[in-house]
Amino acid sequence: MNIRTIATRPFSDQKPGTSGLRKKVPAFQQPHYLENFVQSIFDSVSAPKGSTLVLGGDGRYYNRTAIQIILKMAAANGFGQVLVGRGGILSTPAASCVIRKYQAFGGIILSASHNPGGPDGDFGIKFNGSNGGPATEAVTDTIFAKSKALSSYRILEAADVPLDSLCETTLGDMQVKVIDPVSDYADLMESLFDFAAIRSLLQGSFKIKFDAMHAVNGPYAREILERRLGAASGSVMNAVPLEDFGGGHPDPNLTYAHDLVEIMYGADAPDFGAASDGDGDRNMILGKRFFVTPSDSLALLAANATLVRGYAGGLAGVARSMPTSAAVDRVAHALDIPCFETPTGWKFFGNLMDAGKVTLCGEESFGTGSSHVREKDGLWAVLFWLNILAVRKQSVEIIVREHWARFGRNFYSRYDYEGLPTEAANGVMQHLRDSFATLAGTAFGRYSIQTCDDFSYTDPVDGSISKGQGVRILFGDGSRIIFRLSGTGTEGATLRVYLEAFEADVSRHPLDAQEALKELIGIALHVSELQTRTGREQPTVIT
Ligand code: VG1
Ligand code: CO
């Protein structure tokens, strides 16, 4: 066995963001760059000798190269076994499922999620612990500190390992086991949902369309929706994962999932449409010519959870990220269960789920999930909806409208300003923070500002504190404007503006969200001086 110790140099830019380290592919191709980060992970988590690691990614460009490097480094760092998805493929929720099912020490997931891929696109890497969830901030801080000081890494000198068939290979003292990336996950879904009821729904006149966006969920959706549930063949579109996602932006929203949106708003629209992102953890839910906001989707799943087998016993509690609308809070109140407000990013839900405090969680950014794994889960959300639809036998639109009539409607929208000069974006945030004192108590038309702050979170389980998680402008009637800088981009800065207004009056529920939020949008632009400070008149994307 030939283990080599290779000299590296510290890199200063390997700070994990909202979800792991994300950079352009050429950055990862720099000599020793990937290796530096991987060794920093191994040094930070100190796996006992002989531990099992799970490894896979969303199949984007550089996935295969990175997997071979990581396998050889795992062998040189004392792991006993690596479970790797066939072809190097594992969706993010499937990786979480496999870590938990086989009680692995942890896993490395290769993905830049919804960011475009290809030789000039993005790549990413993150570590998940034995609970199947993203490493906590304490761990990612340690990884970052090590990456800035590392002087060498260990790697086994060996030939590449075959990954395209289910087989076992030896790499030094380590076993590499290639596993079916879909079956464990599909079995888990079958244990949570009533597949017989969904199958009979899909075999009637009810039609669905699922857009895998040329990304990782294609094989999962084909197996679950078409094979196990009998949806008409062709119900899953763009089902073959491509290294560059067909040149698209694998982000399931009304802008980027345009193929699906055209179908769902077209003449002969199916009854239900859905899409997921690059690594399969996000979801967008559509009815016939009807869009369900992710915040409403979370609230609706919570309100209907007991209709679904895996959740029939009720929910321990729910959690949402701070910018996500408070629609789910109203459901939690009605159900008399706790509701937690966390910073953005799935890593903050892990402790709450491990402690049994919450069952469902979600984010406004098209992320929904539960304690069945420790990642958000795109197909799971689709199956949850289909199960509810199979039981309630009403359209998506009617179910949502009934929900609003009962709980009120939280109008919601997010404006993204992408690729801004970092200084200008920081300037907007600083200006807002400097304005807190003068803004509190100010009235704008029918809205008056009650308080402003920079969101800070104290984890109720381990007491850790996360500061600077987004500027909140809170109004007397529960409306909110939030400003936050993205932690997943790879070019300049992305400023997100989140807008929310509550409406109890049913006669105003049919209003278009942009119309209902017009006044708040005006206030947001005014108080932030966003347009003058960044020179941007319009957002890049509105969701
Ligand atoms: C974005 C979303 C956040 C999500 C994160 C990872 O982060 O806003 O809600 O958890 O992406 O999702 P940011 O920092 O850019 O706002 V994924 O599907 O990219 O792993
Ligand atoms: Co994702």
Side-chain angles (χ1 to χ4, degrees), residues 339-469:
C339 177
F340 297 85
E341 183 176 38
T342 60
T344 295
W346 213 260
K347 61 185 165 208
F348 294 103
F349 294 134
N351 278 349
L352 296 172
M353 291 193 276
D354 288 350
K357 290 181 182 295
V358 306
T359 312
L360 292 193
C361 15
E363 297 191 277
E364 51 63 45
S365 54
F366 298 84
T368 333
S370 89
S371 50
H372 67 291
V373 290
R374 292 293 182 277
E375 288 279 4
K376 56 189 185 273
D377 191 342
L379 258 173
W380 167 90
V382 169
L383 293 167
F384 208 128
W385 264 95
L386 287 174
N387 201 148
I388 292 170
L389 290 162
V391 174
R392 289 190 50 173
K393 300 186 179 20
Q394 292 166 299
S395 71
V396 170
E397 178 168 354
I398 287 179
I399 290 176
V400 174
R401 291 200 187 284
E402 283 190 11
H403 183 92
W404 290 340
R406 177 166 171 214
F407 295 99
R409 177 171 180 188
N410 291 69
F411 283 105
Y412 191 82
S413 188
R414 181 176 108 184
Y415 281 35
D416 290 340
Y417 297 81
E418 295 176 357
L420 296 177
T422 306
E423 259 177 43
N426 287 338
V428 172
M429 296 300 287
Q430 195 49 48
H431 166 68
L432 283 162
R433 284 186 211 105
D434 293 342
S435 312
F436 285 171
T438 47
L439 283 177
T442 314
F444 296 90
R446 67 190 178 101
Y447 291 102
S448 69
I449 299 178
Q450 199 169 50
T451 51
C452 309
D453 66 5
D454 201 347
F455 183 62
S456 163
Y457 176 67
T458 303
D459 186 302
V461 180
D462 66 15
S464 60
I465 297 171
S466 304
K467 291 189 177 146
Q469 297 294 326

Side-chain angles (χ1 to χ4, degrees), residues 152-430:
S152 67
Y153 60 88
R154 288 185 298 287
I155 189 161
L156 182 79
E157 207 167 43
D160 280 359
V161 175
L163 294 176
D164 292 307
S165 59
L166 305 182
C167 59
E168 286 186 41
T169 322
T170 304
L171 206 49
D173 289 337
M174 188 183 88
Q175 288 293 114
V176 178
K177 189 171 177 195
V178 178
I179 60 167
D180 181 334
V182 176
S183 58
D184 293 312
Y185 175 82
D187 292 348
L188 176 60
M189 294 301 113
E190 211 161 339
S191 74
L192 296 172
F193 301 108
D194 185 347
F195 271 35
I198 301 174
R199 199 177 301 117
S200 62
L201 174 76
L202 298 182
Q203 280 165 359
S205 60
F206 192 91
K207 295 284 167 286
I208 65 167
K209 202 73 169 173
F210 180 89
D211 188 352
M213 302 190 84
H214 305 289
V216 78
N217 256 351
Y220 294 85
R222 277 241 166 102
E223 169 65 18
I224 294 171
L225 299 174
E226 294 188 5
R227 286 192 206 103
R228 298 199 188 191
L229 290 168
S233 122
S235 295
V236 181
M237 61 196 276
N238 300 324
V240 178
L242 300 175
E243 286 199 327
D244 67 347
F245 309 113
H249 204 128
D251 199 356
N253 58 42
L254 293 175
T255 304
Y256 293 125
H258 40 76
D259 292 357
L260 176 73
V261 170
E262 245 168 61
I263 293 169
M264 293 307 297
Y265 284 78
D268 195 19
D271 304 280
F272 178 83
S276 58
D277 70 335
D279 61 333
D281 57 358
R282 297 188 180 200
N283 73 91
M284 174 171 71
I285 302 293
L286 300 171
K288 210 187 267 280
R289 290 181 279 283
F290 190 82
F291 167 66
V292 186
T293 72
S295 297
D296 280 348
S297 178
L298 172 64
L300 203 137
L301 298 190
N304 291 273
T306 50
L307 301 178
V308 174
R309 189 208 298 150
Y311 304 88
L315 307 174
V318 291
R320 62 164 172 85
S321 66
M322 178 274 282
T324 304
S325 99
V328 73
D329 303 34
R330 299 180 174 276
V331 176
H333 184 74
L335 295 176
D336 197 21
I337 55 173
C339 177
F340 297 85
E341 183 176 38
T342 60
T344 295
W346 213 260
K347 61 185 165 208
F348 294 103
F349 294 134
N351 278 349
L352 296 172
M353 291 193 276
D354 288 350
K357 290 181 182 295
V358 306
T359 312
L360 292 193
C361 15
E363 297 191 277
E364 51 63 45
S365 54
F366 298 84
T368 333
S370 89
S371 50
H372 67 291
V373 290
R374 292 293 182 277
E375 288 279 4
K376 56 189 185 273
D377 191 342
L379 258 173
W380 167 90
V382 169
L383 293 167
F384 208 128
W385 264 95
L386 287 174
N387 201 148
I388 292 170
L389 290 162
V391 174
R392 289 190 50 173
K393 300 186 179 20
Q394 292 166 299
S395 71
V396 170
E397 178 168 354
I398 287 179
I399 290 176
V400 174
R401 291 200 187 284
E402 283 190 11
H403 183 92
W404 290 340
R406 177 166 171 214
F407 295 99
R409 177 171 180 188
N410 291 69
F411 283 105
Y412 191 82
S413 188
R414 181 176 108 184
Y415 281 35
D416 290 340
Y417 297 81
E418 295 176 357
L420 296 177
T422 306
E423 259 177 43
N426 287 338
V428 172
M429 296 300 287
Q430 195 49 48

